[in-house]
Amino acid sequence: MMQRITAVNAKEEIAKLKNEQCAEDDVFFQAMEEVLLSLLPLFKSDEVYAKNAKNAIIQRLITPNRVIKFQVSWLNDKNEIQVNTGYRVQFNNALGPYKGGLRFHPSVNEGILKFLGFEQILKNALTGLPIGGAKGGSDFDPKGKSDFEVMKFCAAFMKELHNYIGPRIDVPAGDIGVGAREIGYLFGQYKSITSAFEGVLTGKPHFFGGSLMRPEATGYGVVYFTRKMLELETKEDECIKGKICTVSGAGNVALHVIEKLQHLGATPVSCTDSSGTLYDKRGVDLELLKELKLNKRVSLKEYTKVHADAEFTPVADYPEEGHAVWEIPCDIAFPCATQNELTVVDAKKLIKNGCMCVAEGANMPSTSEASSIILKSDMYYAPAKAANAGGVAVSGFEMSQNAAMQKWTFEKVDAKLKETMENICINVSETAKEYGVEGNYVDGANIAGFKRVADAMIAEGI
Ligand code: NDP
């Protein structure tokens, strides 16, 4: 029987849970452990939260309110029935309707979605908006499927999911493998089942209710956050200009990190996909990248057909513990592909090569051990939970626009995004200082996010 879990006994209790549960949950425990250990300074100094035992806040926070798992059967282009598994993890709605993306990727399982849903609770709290935390998805792989197959899968997925969502209940968005195309098909099916044209999904194409700037929001937000953090820490202006940046991923987040870095006068020199790493030391050709990854949906290797002097390293040619992209000398590293893509080996390489900052675009891209090394080093560290909150913030703006039947301009959304990311950065920095861990943005983000959710949970009772 598990002891009541607190920030003080988190390590031992999580170790016991790990022994009892399946390997799928490893990433969930990794995320939980990081958060709970971060909360120690808060629990030591603040009476309200020290009474955790009475309110069972942590127990309630680490247990999803509801996990929905369902069969998704759909017809492929050969008229054969295909079967996948769909999920929605509705984690916590103390602050507002459940909110969080859908991921379509063969690696998806309940453990990954619990980790992402748990992270989402605190991330959403940091935005200051009235939104709870959730995540969902399927082990369906959109890669290699025709447009019609993707449409039929999305329709079958929504046939079940529509029972559990609604603009005041749960508002999903995109994530890996789910972009505007998939959100469009999901929305169409929801509308046809319920007859309701309502803001039940965010990340919709802008011509039927989507917010302008939602595609750019996460990537731009990461750069706005990083710029503010460097300004606060180094007291210098224009901290991004002239920097050499490495970026991993070549999807929604990575492409828009690259775009904003270029706007601000930095030189992003890399990106990666599941086939390998691309290094173009003159600075990546963003137009070509968008054509290859968003329109043609092909491997990054194709880039070298146009730019013969760029280097492509296939995944198979690189040792397992490390990743080619983190070996490239840089000033700032932006991991923007997936979880645990930056290991101890990679962190040590970044330090050796004089990197000054790691800014996380993907969710939990650094392993626990890599995070510890980064925190102990001289590098500045922008953790995902705070740095990549721009996507969900603009999703929140999309909910407001839909509810009010309004459409904001690109400039208005961009200004509000920038303001939100800078406010999150200042809040995280000040919280870290208040609890005696100045400069530690990981602890600052976890404490600031937790306080907002915990206050609501205590006030709402059980
Ligand atoms: P996309 O599907 O648009 O792109 C993901 C990119 O990462 C692709 O280039 C993909 O390669 C690569 N990738 C994915 N999984 C793996 C893997 N297991 N190994 C190697 N490469 C991989 O996703 P997003 O850009 O939307 O999401 C990236 C990260 O950012 C995720 O961690 C997501 O949770 C997080 N995030 C996304 C937000 C958003 O608004 N989209 C908001 C906040 C966080 P390939 O092209 O070969 O498939």
Side-chain angles (χ1 to χ4, degrees), residues 103 143 175-177 214 218 250-253 273-274 293 337 363:
R103 178 176 290 193
K143 225 178 271 174
D175 190 75
I176 291 179
R214 176 59 186 88
T218 308
N252 175 276
V253 180
D273 66 8
S274 47
K293 295 309 295 184
N363 282 312

Side-chain angles (χ1 to χ4, degrees), residues 103 105 107 116 123 135 143 174-178 214 218 249-254 272-275 293 336-339 361-363 388 391-392:
R103 178 176 290 193
H105 193 270
S107 65
L116 290 164
K123 182 195 314 227
K135 203 80 188 187
K143 225 178 271 174
D175 190 75
I176 291 179
V178 179
R214 176 59 186 88
T218 308
N252 175 276
V253 180
T272 70
D273 66 8
S274 47
S275 67
K293 295 309 295 184
C336 298
T338 191
Q339 63 271 6
N363 282 312
N388 74 17
V392 74

Side-chain angles (χ1 to χ4, degrees), residues 209-241:
S211 177
L212 287 171
M213 248 212 93
R214 176 59 186 88
E216 293 85 353
T218 308
Y220 282 20
V222 172
V223 180
Y224 291 147
F225 183 96
T226 308
R227 178 173 64 174
K228 188 70 194 170
M229 181 181 80
L230 292 178
E231 266 173 30
L232 292 176
E233 298 299 319
T234 66
K235 315 279 180 247
E236 280 171 26
D237 294 337
E238 303 220 29
C239 336
I240 299 285
K241 197 172 178 182

Side-chain angles (χ1 to χ4, degrees), residues 113-134:
L113 297 176
K114 272 159 56 185
F115 130 62
L116 290 164
F118 179 71
E119 290 281 290
Q120 199 79 43
I121 306 169
L122 301 188
K123 182 195 314 227
N124 293 3
L126 285 172
T127 64
L129 298 170
I131 41 182

